[in-house]
Structure formats: structure tokens, C-alpha cells
Amino acid sequence: MLDFSRLEQYRENNRIEAKKALGGLPKSIWETYSAFANTLGGIILLGVIETVDKTFDSVDLPDPDGLIREFWHIINDPMKVSVNILAEKDVYVEEVGGDHIVVIKVPCADRAYKPVYVDNDTRNTYRRNGEGDYRCTYEEYQAMVRDAAVRSPDMHLVRSMGLEALNSESVRSFRQRMKLYRPRHMWENLNNEVFLQKIGAIGDNDGLLHPTSAGLLMFGNHQDILCEYPNYAITYREQLDTKGNWEEAPWSSNVYEFYYWAYNKLQQNAKKPARQALREVLANCLVNADYHGSGGIIVSKGYQEITLSNPGSFRVPLDTAKSGGVSAPRNPAMARMFRFVDVGEYTGGGIPNLYRIWKSEGWPEPVFSESCSPDRVSLTLYMTGHSGAENAAAGKQVPLSALSQRQLLIDYLTDHPTSDLFALSKSLGTSLSRTESLLQQLADEGIVVVEAGQGNRLYKLKA
């Protein structure tokens, strides 16, 4: 929560927008609503001005209740705003030094409601960055549409290709593994065409068989995959020595083959409890990637940590995913194929299990992060550390947050205009070096800026 008794300490940034609003609702409020809803969420302050030195000052709105009534009337008009994601509690009057202002708290919209646009025109879809509200590119708009679709993109038939686009050796290997994990399955003796139809890898269109997007990604020849997905790229990186030398191996085959090759690399020297979790997180990375997105999939294995990064945004809020019971992969047909060979699970229990194993091993809590422009999700797994008892004895903290550490930092800096590393580390419940690393990620993405203070560095959200 903002401390309105210290309003002058806040600044406009990528989560706070101030508008004078003495002449009524500003027209630009709807662009900001769209931008906040499509990005990280944020707070709109009506009756607040920026002074010459960029500090905030309040002005007394003559009719704040009338402004709120006008706001609700317009936001519920589908010709003005594509969807209203606010509850009554999100819009209210606040008294600041005798002045009355209006506070509008805009959450990040659920993927089913994105993109949020204005004036009944999808071209008026906005997002927020350090420079303010900006109109989304067509590619950003399409990425949100794909995420919101009820019918997943990986069920689409690739009508320009026939069955020759699928690698016969990959299909043979998959069937052999399925026979091992599901002996005497009713599909075991089907011919390849019927079998591939049953698992969702191919489909029928006017009597002709074509691969589905899921089938092409899972079993396709590399060149055929690139014809449908020009941005398709998977890279495996491994640290060679403590001097920081890495070996990088671009992948030139399909997703199915990469999974087993990469898992064999990742699980080497891993403790037994971690191996099953690594199976899950690698599969999750592959089935949740947006293969139309840029940047490709990157899997990195360092001496003390593993990082998996894929294009796309979170499909389920992280705190919900950590609670378990919710599974919404971006490519559900691919996820279903993996489950036929005993990879992945149906119930959304992969992330809770990951946190449980890492906690039992005394390792730092897994770190999820999300960035925009382009959308990208990363997971870092640190595989060294002390047990809980050893940490307590050593005075070290183990992160226990219910939300992602990244989001906690953003929320803390929303409520505290400027903060140093020590305060942020304490709020996060983790080490100074870990907190600094997360802050550097946010700075690289243009969300946080660093300033020199009196003897130390100060952090704040980008203005």
C-alpha cells in the first residue's frame, strides 16, 4: 500500500501514474488502464500533479464521487473498454492533507481477458514500460491473443505439410518408450498413422493427413519445423570450468529428441530427489514455450545452478501455481504426448513438488522471473546451500515468500519509492548477493533504476 501521508516521496514510474483530473476524467486514463492491465498492474492517482522537481502534490478534487461514477459508467461500456477487470474495492476516495483524491488500483489482467484494449479497436492495445504507456506491436497483440485462446495453438493442423515432415526415428523411439511405460496399451499394435492420430500428432482434413503443430514440434524434421516456426531455436549451454568458460550447443532436431538429450545432461551428478523435479521443470519449459516468440529456449547448466528460459508469459499466477492443483500448459497437446511416456503430470503439482524438494535439501528457493518486450519466463535453480538448521545457526535467511521474489521486489518498490539493498534484502528474506542479482535483472529489463546514495546504491522503479 502507498503511504499517502508521504505522497511527496513518490514519483511516476512503471506502476504509478498521476493525473490532475480537475477538468474531469482525462482521456489518457484509458490508455493507462489498458497498459497496466496488460503488463504488471499499477495505481492511477486522480487529483495528483507532478511538480517541477517530479515530486507529487495533491489537489482537492471538487467532486471525487462524481468522477468515480463517471469512471464506472465508462469502464463498463464495451465500446470504450474491452473488459472491466476491476472490483468495487479497487476504486476509492483518499484524503491527503485535507485534499480529496481518487485511487484506482489496476491489477494485471488474467490471460483469458488479455489483450485489454480501448475504443473498440484492437490496435489500441497498450503496455507499460519505463517510458510510459505505449501502443503494442502486432506481434505483442498476437502473443496475448494466442495465450487467451480456448483452443490451444498446438492443435492447429499444418495443412502445408504431409506425414513426411515427421521424423520416423523419433516416432519409433516414442512408441518404444510408451511401450516400456505403458505395456499392453490398447494402441500398442496400431499402425503409425492411426497411432499418431490417437495421440494428437496428426489430423485429417478432407481425407488427407497433416501434422498438428504439436506433432510437428515433437517429432518433426528440423527444417520442416523452421518452415512453420521461423523463430524455433533451442540452445543448451554448460559451464566448462570455474573461470567462466561455457560450451554452447544449438539444437538441430525436434522437441522430443531435445528433452531426453538435455535431461541426460542436467541429471548428471544431481541428487536423486532432484532428478524427478528436473524432469518436470524441463518438460514444463518445453510445453509452455511460445514457439512463435523470439529468443528461443535456452537451458543452461552451471556449476551451482541450472537456468531454463523460454519465450512466453506466465499462464497461471505464480502464487496459484505454487499452491498446486492448476495446470494450464500453453501447448496441452504436447504435454499430453509427454505424459504418455511418463513425463509430466496432470494436476499442476510440479511446481509445489519442486519447492518441496528444494526446501528439503536446504537449497535456496527456486527463482522465477518474467519480462516483457519480448515476453519471457526464466527459472533458476540453485543446487548448493545449507539446511534450514544450518542457515539459522549461521544467521542466513531462506526465502519463504508466497509470491515470486521478482514480484515481491516490484511490489516493495511500488510502496517504498526509494530503497537500499539492505532493506530490499530484508523484505525479500534472502541474501544480499541474491537480492542484488534479482535487482540487476530488473534493471536490465528497464523496470528498476539504480542511483548513487550516501555511501551506497539506491533502487527505485523506473520513472
Side-chain angles (χ1 to χ4, degrees), residues 25 46 63-73 91-93 101-103:
L25 282 179
L46 303 182
D63 185 13
D65 291 325
L67 272 183
I68 290 177
R69 286 193 298 271
E70 183 184 359
F71 177 83
W72 283 123
H73 175 72
V91 184
Y92 57 90
V93 177
I101 69 171
V102 173
V103 180

Side-chain angles (χ1 to χ4, degrees), residues 178-185 188 339-341 346:
M178 183 172 168
K179 185 176 181 179
L180 175 65
Y181 289 109
R182 298 173 182 266
R184 296 178 297 280
H185 191 277
E188 186 175 303
R339 288 192 288 266
F340 280 127
V341 289
Y346 290 89

Side-chain angles (χ1 to χ4, degrees), residues 303-370:
Y303 274 13
Q304 297 183 334
E305 78 284 331
I306 289 172
T307 300
L308 303 97
S309 177
N310 62 268
S313 57
F314 283 122
R315 299 271 292 178
V316 176
L318 185 56
D319 53 336
T320 302
K322 288 173 67 174
S323 299
V326 179
S327 180
R330 178 171 280 106
N331 301 293
M334 289 178 65
R336 181 170 176 259
M337 292 178 203
F338 271 122
R339 288 192 288 266
F340 280 127
V341 289
D342 204 34
V343 175
E345 40 76 53
Y346 290 89
T347 61
I351 290 180
N353 188 52
L354 171 67
Y355 278 85
R356 179 187 61 78
I357 291 173
W358 254 244
K359 184 177 181 179
S360 68
E361 292 296 321
W363 295 334
E365 187 175 88
V367 178
F368 284 92
S369 64
E370 182 178 21

Side-chain angles (χ1 to χ4, degrees), residues 37-349:
N38 289 324
T39 316
L40 297 169
I43 300 171
I44 302 173
L45 302 174
L46 303 182
V48 175
I49 60 173
E50 271 194 313
T51 61
V52 176
D53 63 354
K54 300 296 183 180
T55 60
F56 282 171
D57 195 11
S58 61
V59 297
D60 193 29
L61 292 172
D63 185 13
D65 291 325
L67 272 183
I68 290 177
R69 286 193 298 271
E70 183 184 359
F71 177 83
W72 283 123
H73 175 72
I74 296 176
I75 199 172
N76 287 315
D77 179 0
M79 297 301 291
K80 184 62 182 180
V81 180
S82 61
V83 62
N84 174 16
I85 61 171
L86 303 185
E88 187 175 353
K89 63 180 176 60
D90 296 321
V91 184
Y92 57 90
V93 177
E94 184 76 31
E95 185 173 343
V96 180
D99 294 332
H100 295 85
I101 69 171
V102 173
V103 180
I104 303 172
K105 295 183 176 180
V106 183
C108 176
D110 184 90
R111 64 180 176 83
Y113 296 126
K114 291 181 182 179
V116 177
Y117 54 90
V118 298
D119 293 330
N120 198 32
D121 189 341
T122 57
R123 291 173 297 181
N124 293 327
T125 299
Y126 295 86
R127 271 187 163 178
R128 186 85 167 182
N129 61 16
E131 282 68 49
D133 307 329
Y134 72 92
R135 185 178 274 106
C136 290
T137 64
Y138 180 73
E139 289 73 22
E140 289 176 303
Y141 168 79
Q142 283 296 321
M144 286 187 272
V145 170
R146 288 195 298 270
D147 277 352
V150 175
R151 182 177 173 84
S152 64
D154 68 341
M155 297 174 70
H156 167 73
L157 278 183
V158 185
R159 293 181 173 86
S160 61
M161 298 183 188
L163 300 191
E164 69 280 356
L166 304 186
N167 186 284
S168 59
E169 181 56 30
S170 296
V171 173
R172 186 204 65 77
S173 171
F174 180 89
R175 297 199 67 169
Q176 190 63 31
R177 279 197 169 94
M178 183 172 168
K179 185 176 181 179
L180 175 65
Y181 289 109
R182 298 173 182 266
R184 296 178 297 280
H185 191 277
M186 66 182 70
W187 299 344
E188 186 175 303
N189 296 318
L190 298 176
N191 65 45
N192 269 353
E193 289 185 2
V194 178
F195 174 80
L196 291 171
Q197 283 183 288
K198 292 290 186 181
I199 66 170
I202 64 174
D204 186 300
N205 179 59
D206 296 330
L208 299 175
L209 294 175
H210 306 278
T212 62
S213 295
L216 181 64
L217 287 165
M218 283 288 282
F219 308 122
N221 300 308
H222 188 239
Q223 287 303 316
D224 292 308
I225 296 175
L226 287 174
C227 288
E228 183 70 11
Y229 294 92
N231 290 330
Y232 175 82
I234 306 179
T235 301
Y236 179 85
R237 302 174 66 245
E238 188 163 329
Q239 187 175 356
L240 298 176
D241 52 47
T242 57
K243 297 179 180 179
N245 294 312
W246 291 74
E247 180 180 55
E248 189 168 291
W251 188 245
S252 58
S253 187
N254 51 54
V255 171
Y256 167 76
E257 299 286 356
F258 175 79
Y259 170 81
Y260 285 100
W261 180 84
Y263 173 69
N264 183 57
K265 296 275 190 181
L266 292 178
Q267 61 87 31
Q268 290 177 12
N269 303 319
K271 291 186 177 182
K272 186 176 181 180
R275 292 174 188 168
Q276 181 62 34
L278 289 174
R279 284 169 57 88
E280 298 292 336
V281 297
L282 178 58
N284 283 341
C285 175
L286 297 173
V287 302
N288 283 297
D290 179 357
Y291 289 93
H292 287 288
S294 61
I297 295 168
I298 301 174
V299 178
S300 298
K301 181 182 181 181
Y303 274 13
Q304 297 183 334
E305 78 284 331
I306 289 172
T307 300
L308 303 97
S309 177
N310 62 268
S313 57
F314 283 122
R315 299 271 292 178
V316 176
L318 185 56
D319 53 336
T320 302
K322 288 173 67 174
S323 299
V326 179
S327 180
R330 178 171 280 106
N331 301 293
M334 289 178 65
R336 181 170 176 259
M337 292 178 203
F338 271 122
R339 288 192 288 266
F340 280 127
V341 289
D342 204 34
V343 175
E345 40 76 53
Y346 290 89
T347 61

